[in-house]
């Protein structure tokens, strides 16, 4: 019994000890949490200042550049076809795809035996018609002579009748003689009438002969043209395209065998939106002949050509929008019809506009202006043009003030900022030094480019041979090599 009592006391003391340990642990945990939640003495809140890039608003007169994309095409292109069919018997020396021909040079000739035979037959018909005309003219002359002789004979008969009537009045002649003279006059008049009828028939026969000769001459002209149509020559100096013919090939009438293109007379066709089109019109609504610059990227080098807007499409094609504009190009070495080019149009100049980064403009057409104590202010502007990554705006009262170049959701009216100003001078293009091996490799890339004209190759080669070479040019050439 005593052992049991002592065991129970030991268990009670053990439980009491564990409870005291749990209470001490809980107290320690509460103390730690209370300490961690206590921030200590309060400190005053500091205003957050953002670093921003700023740009000075400088109103000036700027010529906007409208950028579009178009296709180069020749102003003088004809399809090669003949109005007659036949077998090709001869092909010109330069009659190949891409061959250059001069005006009047032979392209190909068809077998003209049938046309020559038809021409010979028509010439014989012309000779026959000429002989008929000569015979009709001779008959007409004879008919005129016969009519004149009949009229002279009729005059003699009338004088004889007058003489007989005079004798009868004096009592010397007889009535029988007068009647005989009257019959002779009537017979002479009948003869004159017959000769006149023969003359009219001779004139009609001559007219028919003239008409037949004219008809045969028309047939002769057609036969000669048919013979000429068996030979196709170049209408102007140009380059042949899509040529795929060989001697012995049978062609049908009006079958197209290729095209003749004049690569020296180029123009570019490009499409602009209706809003852009309105900016190219004068006060009377006519298209302004604005200058354009056309660029073509060939082997890492931009080929450029200058031109001028000349006309616009008369109607909008089905399924299309905007307006199709045509610009005539001047000297354009290296350009070919079908090239996809970039067109830059110089619009009429805008006065009192400022050039700003496009990121400076908000969705509500406002900019953030640096004000007093370097705090931002919201100012409205009028967007005039977008120029790639830049914009042209008109902002009254903001001349000389600084605006935030890159807006963010953290910036707004009243926010204090730390402006970061950059120099206005443009940075020079990065230049690098090439090793002899790399220089030779790049020059080989340029020489292997068949589309680049010789003038452009010489210009690029000169730049590559210099001590310092533009890094952008090297990157473009190496990208072509990688492609």
């Amino acid at each position: 019994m005593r052992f049991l009592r002592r065991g129970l006391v030991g268990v009670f003391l053990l439980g009491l000890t564990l409870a005291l340990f749990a209470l001490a642990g809980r107290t320690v945990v509460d103390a730690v949490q209370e300490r961690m939640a206590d921030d200590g003495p309060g400190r005053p809140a500091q205003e957050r200042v953002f670093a921003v890039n700023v740009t000075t608003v400088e109103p000036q007169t700027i010529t906007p550049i409208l950028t579009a994309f178009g296709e180069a095409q020749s102003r003088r292109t004809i399809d090669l076809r003949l109005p007659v069919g036949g077998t090709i018997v001869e092909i010109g020396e330069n009659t190949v795809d891409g061959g250059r021909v001069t005006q009047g040079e032979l392209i190909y000739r068809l077998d003209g035996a049938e046309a020559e035979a038809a021409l010979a037959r028509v010439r014989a018909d012309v000779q026959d018609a000429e002989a008929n005309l000569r015979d009709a003219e001779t008959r007409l002359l004879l008919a005129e002579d016969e009519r004149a002789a009949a009229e002279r004979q009729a005059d003699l008969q009338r004088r004889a009748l007058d003489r007989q009537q005079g004798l009868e009045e004096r009592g010397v002649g007889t009535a029988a003689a007068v009647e005989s003279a009257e019959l002779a006059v009537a017979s002479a008049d009948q003869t004159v009438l017959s000769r006149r009828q023969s003359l009219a028939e001779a004139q009609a026969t001559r007219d028919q002969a003239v008409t037949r000769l004219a008809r045969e001459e028309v047939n002769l002209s057609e036969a000669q043209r048919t013979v000429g149509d068996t030979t196709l020559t170049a209408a102007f100096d140009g380059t042949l395209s899509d040529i795929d013919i060989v001697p012995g090939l049978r062609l049908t009438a009006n079958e197209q065998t290729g095209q003749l293109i004049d690569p020296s007379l180029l123009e570019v066709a490009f499409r602009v939106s209706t809003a852009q089109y309105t900016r190219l019109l004068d006060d009377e609504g006519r298209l302004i002949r604005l200058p354009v610059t056309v660029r073509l990227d060939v082997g890492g080098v931009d080929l450029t050509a200058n031109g001028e807007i000349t006309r616009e499409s008369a109607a909008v094609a089905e399924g299309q929008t905007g307006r199709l504009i045509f610009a005539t190009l001047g000297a354009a070495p290296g350009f070919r019809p079908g090239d996809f080019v970039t067109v830059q149009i110089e619009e009429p100049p805008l006065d009192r506009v400022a050039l700003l980064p496009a990121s400076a403009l908000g969705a509500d057409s406002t900019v953030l202006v640096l004000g007093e104590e370097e705090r931002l202010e919201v100012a409205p502007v009028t967007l005039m043009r977008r120029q790639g990554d830049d914009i042209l705006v008109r902002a009254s009262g903001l001349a000389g003030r600084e605006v935030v170049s890159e807006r963010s959701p953290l910036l707004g009216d009243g926010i204090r900022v730390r402006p970061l100003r950059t120099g206005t001078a443009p940075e020079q293009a990065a230049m690098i030094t090439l090793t002899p091996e790399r220089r030779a490799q790049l020059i080989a890339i340029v020489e292997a480019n068949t589309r680049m004209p010789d003038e452009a190759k010489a210009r690029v080669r000169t730049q590559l041979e210099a001590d310092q070479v533009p890094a952008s040019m090297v990157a473009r050439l190496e990208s072509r090599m990688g492609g």
Side-chain angles (χ1 to χ4, degrees), residues 404-465:
V404 176
S405 301
E406 300 175 357
R407 298 185 60 160
S408 72
L410 301 177
L411 302 179
D413 189 15
I415 299 297
R416 188 174 182 179
V417 296
R418 178 167 57 87
L420 302 177
R421 299 177 177 86
T422 58
T424 58
E427 297 181 357
Q428 295 183 349
M431 307 292 287
I432 61 176
T433 302
L434 299 177
T435 62
E437 295 79 7
R438 192 178 184 187
R439 190 190 310 275
Q441 188 178 26
L442 294 176
I443 292 177
I445 295 174
V446 174
E447 294 295 340
N449 193 332
T450 58
R451 297 187 61 190
M452 186 183 300
D454 295 338
E455 298 83 353
K457 288 183 179 180
R459 185 170 63 253
V460 175
R461 189 165 50 249
T462 301
Q463 292 179 333
L464 291 176
E465 292 174 352

Side-chain angles (χ1 to χ4, degrees), residues 114-135:
E114 295 181 1
E116 292 287 351
L119 177 60
R121 288 193 294 270
V122 173
R123 283 175 176 170
D125 293 340
V126 170
Q127 293 176 356
D128 188 20
E130 290 175 346
N132 289 337
L133 178 60
R134 288 193 300 270
D135 182 65

Side-chain angles (χ1 to χ4, degrees), residues 71-74 100 239 263 266 296 332-341 451:
E71 181 182 2
Q73 58 189 25
S74 176
R100 295 190 61 87
T239 304
L266 293 181
L296 174 64
F335 286 81
R336 291 294 181 269
D339 284 336
F340 184 75
V341 296
R451 297 187 61 190

